[in-house]
Each structure stands twice: as C-alpha cells, then as structure tokens.
C-alpha cells in the first residue's frame, strides 16, 4: 500500500524520540487523562469503498453508506510511562451500492443491505514531559489489534444467493499524540501500521444447474485472503462539558488489501464440470465520522 511507508516512518521516528528522551518523571495532564479514561458511546456515519481486480482488470467495486454506533472503554494512568489501554466495539448498517464490469459477464449494478461489526484494542504507555518547556503534550506508543466482519451483497429477506462475508483481524504498532489546548479542550492524533491476520471470505455461490427444475444449486465456500498491509489514521477533538461529561468528534480512516490464495468453484453449463476462478485481489478503505459522549473516570 502506498500509505504504509509514511505511516511507518512517522511512528518509528516518534518512538525513537521517546526512547532517547531523558526527561524526568512527570504527571499526565488532567485534561488528557479525562479525555482518554472513561466509558463512551457514539453514533455517526461511515463510508466504505471496496475494489476488486483480476489480472489487473477491474472486476467490481462497492461503496457503502453506513450508520455507525460505538461503545468504548479507555484508561490512562496518572504518571508518565503509565499504562494506557483502550477497547472499542463498532457496529454499522446501511446500503451498499455495487458496480461490476459487465464486459466480464457480471451483473452491471445493484444495491443491498450491508452490515459491519468490529472490535479494536490498544495497549501501550503514556509518556509525558518529552520536551522540557511543553507539559501539555504526551506520546502514546501502543500495540493495536482488532477484528473486522462485513457482510456484503446479502439480503436475508429475499434469500439472495450472492452473499459475501469477509472476516479477519489485524495487528500492528501505533502512536498517539495528545495535546491539551486548555483544561477543557484536547486534540488527539493517532496512526497505526501493521498487517491483516487470518482474513477470509465466505460466499454463497452457484456451483451447478439442476436441469429438471432449471434452478442453480448453491453452496457456502470459504477461502483465505492472505495477510496484507493494514493502516489507520485518526483525529479526535475532546471537549469537557462538566465534571461528569465529555464529548468528542472523531474521524478515522483505515485502508487494507487482500489477495486470494486458492480457486473457488463457479457455475458451469449443464452436463459440464463447473469451472474455477481465482479470488480477485481487493483494496478496501473505510472512513468513520463519530460524535461521542463519555463519562470520565
């Protein structure tokens, strides 16, 4: 992925700065601790883009418009080099618009219900007082992991046989930068770079034609997608309403790719053995915009 190198360079440079710093121990600014520690709920909008290519030829693409909701839990300690952790569940539902390359014999376009669930976790250290004259900025190097499941081109109400379910995890290293503008306002930036883990696709595909009834017989098939680059960039603005409520606006963009590792059966002509086709390569991008409310610890 083209974004892997700059994201990786950003994180490694900041980690080297962290390791080389000889600053004395300090306390994490209270505004930042409040922004990072607590229970949160959120709602927003998600935009997804999925593109497949086969032998360098575009096969199909899909764009999603999803209503997104989140539930999160975070913690950061009081002192520098303290434990930092976070856990977030994300769910989404909406409409997926599908556009295929009709020159390859696929359906031209369509739309259906799309559903997505994800779980993300972080574990790292919060490091303060890296610059002697700046006590309002901290760095948070962390390890990030997550799980993602998305259902495409499937409508349980109509029994559409073309359903696709993509599942997989990711693992990477990340860096957060928190800046307390004042006692109420905190800006957070974060970046993660890593790889997908155990990604696979499960489809309901036609494998044979029943000549007597003139109907296609379908089966559910699963194939590995391989481990590929996974990158995230995010921005959040936190505002303290009072001692019991924080609100935040968050925007997060994730990109990843996949490569099929094996052929899958497809429908064949009557009396012939079904042929095979390779799973297309794919590139995915997902942008989430959320408004969150949190009760700080």
């Amino acid at each position: 992925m083209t974004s892997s190198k700059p994201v990786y360079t950003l994180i490694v440079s900041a980690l080297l700065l962290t390791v080389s710093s000889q600053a004395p121990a300090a306390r994490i600014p209270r505004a930042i601790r409040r922004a990072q520690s607590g229970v949160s709920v959120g709602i927003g909008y998600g935009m997804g883009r999925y593109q497949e290519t086969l032998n360098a030829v575009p096969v199909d693409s899909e764009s999603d418009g999803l209503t997104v909701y989140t539930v999160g839990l975070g913690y950061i300690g009081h002192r520098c080099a303290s434990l930092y952790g976070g856990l977030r569940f994300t769910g989404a539902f909406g409409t997926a618009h599908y556009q295929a390359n009709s020159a390859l014999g696929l359906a031209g376009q369509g739309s259906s219900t799309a559903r997505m669930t994800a779980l993300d976790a972080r574990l790292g250290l919060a490091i303060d007082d890296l610059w002697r004259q700046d006590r309002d900025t901290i760095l948070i190097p962390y390890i990030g992991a997550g799980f993602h499941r998305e259902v495409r081109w499937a409508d349980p109400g109509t029994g559409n046989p073309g359903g696709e379910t993509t599942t997989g995890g990711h693992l990477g290293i990340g860096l957060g930068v928190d800046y307390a503008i004042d006692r109420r306002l905190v800006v957070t930036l974060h970046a993660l770079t890593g790889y997908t883990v155990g990604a696979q696709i499960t489809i309901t595909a036609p494998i044979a034609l029943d000549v007597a009834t003139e109907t296609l017989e379908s089966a559910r098939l699963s194939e590995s997608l391989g481990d590929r680059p996974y990158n995230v960039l995010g921005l959040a603005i936190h505002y303290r309403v009072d001692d019991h409520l924080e609100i935040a606006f968050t925007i997060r963009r994730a990109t990843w790719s996949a490569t099929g590792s094996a052929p899958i059966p497809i429908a064949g002509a009557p009396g012939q053995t079904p042929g095979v086709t390779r799973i297309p390569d794919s590139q995915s991008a997902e942008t989430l915009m959320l408004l969150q409310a949190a009760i700080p610890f």
Side-chain angles (χ1 to χ4, degrees), residues 86-288:
L87 186 66
R88 182 189 63 188
F89 172 80
T90 302
F93 58 90
T95 301
H97 300 284
Y98 174 82
Q99 180 69 45
N101 184 346
S102 58
L104 298 180
L106 301 175
Q109 59 184 354
S111 63
S112 62
T113 301
R115 299 181 299 279
M116 183 268 288
T117 54
L119 186 67
D120 294 279
R122 302 181 193 174
L123 183 64
L125 294 176
I127 303 173
D128 188 20
D129 203 16
L130 296 175
W131 301 276
R132 293 181 182 276
Q133 296 181 353
D134 186 355
R135 306 269 175 159
D136 299 320
T137 303
I138 68 170
L139 292 184
I140 306 177
Y142 64 89
I143 296 174
F147 174 81
H148 188 277
R149 180 180 187 270
E150 186 170 359
V151 180
R152 304 185 193 93
W153 201 245
D155 187 347
T158 62
N160 181 359
E164 292 184 2
T165 301
T166 303
T167 59
H170 69 266
L171 182 65
I173 58 171
L175 177 72
V177 181
D178 283 39
Y179 175 62
I181 296 176
D182 55 32
R183 294 183 179 181
R184 289 184 178 269
L185 196 61
V186 173
V187 176
T188 299
L189 296 169
H190 76 90
L192 177 142
T193 185
Y195 281 85
T196 59
V197 178
Q200 71 173 21
I201 185 171
T202 300
I203 67 171
T204 302
I207 60 172
L209 177 66
D210 188 326
V211 179
T213 61
E214 296 185 349
T215 59
L216 288 174
E217 296 180 357
S218 300
R220 290 184 63 80
L221 307 163
S222 297
E223 297 294 343
S224 170
L225 296 177
D227 299 332
R228 304 288 286 175
Y230 183 95
N231 296 294
V232 179
L233 290 172
L235 165 70
I237 301 173
H238 305 263
Y239 179 74
R240 186 185 71 165
V241 177
D242 55 34
D243 288 340
H244 305 289
L245 179 65
E246 298 255 350
I247 60 174
F249 173 76
T250 301
I251 182 168
R252 176 181 183 270
R253 181 173 175 82
T255 58
W256 66 96
S257 60
T259 300
S261 64
I264 60 173
I266 61 172
Q272 296 182 3
T273 302
V276 294
T277 185
R278 186 175 184 275
I279 297 176
D281 297 341
S282 65
Q283 298 80 40
S284 299
E286 179 183 85
T287 302
L288 304 180

Side-chain angles (χ1 to χ4, degrees), residues 9-71:
T9 301
L10 172 66
I11 293 174
V12 171
S13 299
L15 290 176
L16 290 175
L17 174 63
T18 299
V19 172
S20 63
S21 173
Q22 301 298 320
R27 297 182 67 86
I28 302 297
R30 184 170 182 269
I32 293 177
R33 284 194 289 108
R34 289 178 56 90
Q36 294 285 7
S37 300
V39 178
S40 65
V41 294
I43 189 169
Y45 186 73
M47 297 174 291
R49 176 71 176 176
Y50 176 80
Q51 175 73 57
E52 288 186 351
T53 57
L54 186 62
N55 299 323
V57 177
V59 178
D60 64 31
S61 63
E62 186 173 298
S63 58
D64 300 333
L66 305 175
T67 300
V68 181
Y69 58 91
T70 66
V71 178

